[in-house]
Amino acid sequence: MRVSLSNAWEVIELKCTEIGPDTSLLGVLGENIKYTLSPKIHNFAFERLGIRAVYVTFDVPRERFQRAFPGLLEFAYGLNVTIPYKESVIPFLDSLSPEAEKVGAVNTIHGGRGYNTDYLAVKGLVSGVERGTALILGAGGAAKAASFALGELGFEIIVQNRTETRGMELVSRLREEGISASFSRACQGDYNVVVNTIPEPEAVPLECVRGKIAIEFVYKEETPFLRRARELGMRVVDGLQILVRQAMEAEKIWFGKSLNDIEVVNFLNAGK
């Protein structure tokens, strides 16, 4: 297991309370996630909210996950979970929140209970949008969260994924919950919302980017998906907005309070 502590020292730079025996340890679990902004976001929030905690990166290779994760559950006050472990962590947990149980994916953990703040983020960011069709690109944990969130808001869900079997599994889960859903191998017409959860930019079918709103889960860079959406004059919800919103929902789960999204986004942009 590789544990990155470099971001932890940002807490000290932010003049946070001295780290001591009563400091809570939190972090994000994933594989090959040195790029993650989560430590920067949460350590900033802890400092501003006066919380005695530190947040680090748990970069765990897949072959070590089965051994590493039970230990993390024991000593971490709270965790975020990202690719490729949003589904793998579920058997280790004591319980799931209603939204995590429906979605079948977890990205936040506290007290042995799994939550899905991706779901909460999407639902909050698109509430009030005109209902219609929503195209979901991908069928992993983020795609599941977006599909259920939009489906429960009244959108008809269309799933497009390279592996049809996995795409149809998501469609079946949505239908079981009474959500109108179908699988499509190609783009057809315009959509009210297009959501990209595919991490590899070259694998995203840009011909599908058309409609009113584009939601991008990838936040490492200005993606071709986002550029195409902006060229077409679509309203854009970028990966940073999603990341910050779900992070603040996680803060509420862990500590019962959070910062305003705009304050966090401004902090991140100032550091570019």
Side-chain angles (χ1 to χ4, degrees):
M1 179 173 65
R2 299 186 297 275
V3 180
S4 171
L5 295 176
S6 59
N7 290 295
W9 304 120
E10 293 180 12
V11 180
I12 297 174
E13 293 172 6
L14 289 166
K15 297 182 175 60
C16 186
T17 306
E18 183 181 354
I19 295 174
D22 61 343
T23 302
S24 298
L25 175 65
L26 300 94
V28 56
L29 168 69
E31 184 181 42
N32 297 325
I33 53 170
K34 291 182 179 179
Y35 63 84
T36 181
L37 291 175
S38 292
K40 190 169 187 177
I41 290 170
H42 289 291
N43 287 326
F44 172 71
F46 297 160
E47 189 272 335
R48 292 301 300 267
L49 294 169
I51 296 170
R52 290 180 65 87
V54 64
Y55 188 108
V56 299
T57 302
F58 297 109
D59 196 338
V60 180
R62 280 173 232 216
E63 64 271 18
R64 296 186 181 179
F65 170 77
Q66 293 285 336
R67 285 181 294 156
F69 184 60
L72 291 180
L73 273 180
E74 287 296 318
F75 66 74
Y77 180 81
L79 291 167
N80 284 131
V81 183
T82 188
I83 295 173
Y85 302 127
K86 290 184 179 183
E87 297 162 348
S88 304
V89 299
I90 291 177
F92 296 87
L93 302 177
D94 298 327
S95 63
L96 299 177
S97 66
E99 70 276 2
E101 191 162 4
K102 277 186 295 190
V103 172
V106 163
N107 77 327
T108 299
I109 298 171
H110 180 53
R113 184 172 175 84
Y115 301 82
N116 195 300
T117 60
D118 285 337
Y119 165 96
L120 298 174
V122 172
K123 209 163 191 180
L125 288 167
V126 302
S127 60
V129 173
E130 181 183 354
R131 305 301 183 258
T133 56
L135 176 67
I136 310 295
L137 300 174
K144 290 177 180 178
S147 296
F148 275 91
L150 292 169
E152 290 180 5
L153 287 173
F155 287 86
E156 177 186 351
I157 306 300
I158 302 171
V159 177
Q160 187 171 328
N161 190 58
R162 286 172 291 183
T163 306
E164 183 172 348
T165 302
R166 191 165 191 195
M168 284 303 303
E169 287 175 0
L170 174 53
V171 168
S172 296
R173 287 179 61 90
L174 291 164
R175 289 175 176 172
E176 287 171 5
E177 294 294 327
I179 295 171
S180 177
S182 60
F183 181 84
S184 177
R185 296 179 183 84
C187 311
Q188 300 175 357
D190 285 341
Y191 310 96
N192 290 69
V193 179
V194 180
V195 181
N196 179 51
T197 68
I198 301 171
E200 305 88 4
E202 66 279 2
V204 179
L206 296 182
E207 68 274 13
C208 294
V209 186
R210 54 195 188 212
K212 297 178 180 178
I213 301 174
I215 300 176
E216 172 68 278
F217 268 79
V218 178
Y219 66 87
K220 289 183 286 185
E221 57 190 9
E222 174 76 355
T223 62
F225 175 88
L226 283 180
R227 285 196 294 272
R228 176 64 175 160
R230 295 190 208 280
E231 288 170 1
L232 294 174
M234 297 174 68
R235 174 185 158 191
V236 165
V237 176
D238 64 31
L240 192 61
Q241 290 173 273
I242 293 286
L243 179 68
V244 170
R245 180 86 298 275
Q246 67 80 26
M248 293 304 99
E249 292 291 347
E251 293 273 334
K252 293 175 187 176
I253 291 167
W254 296 326
F255 300 109
K257 55 186 176 180
S258 71
L259 296 178
N260 179 279
D261 290 17
I262 296 175
E263 182 178 3
V264 180
V265 170
N266 287 342
F267 166 71
L268 294 173
N269 287 333
K272 287 183 178 179

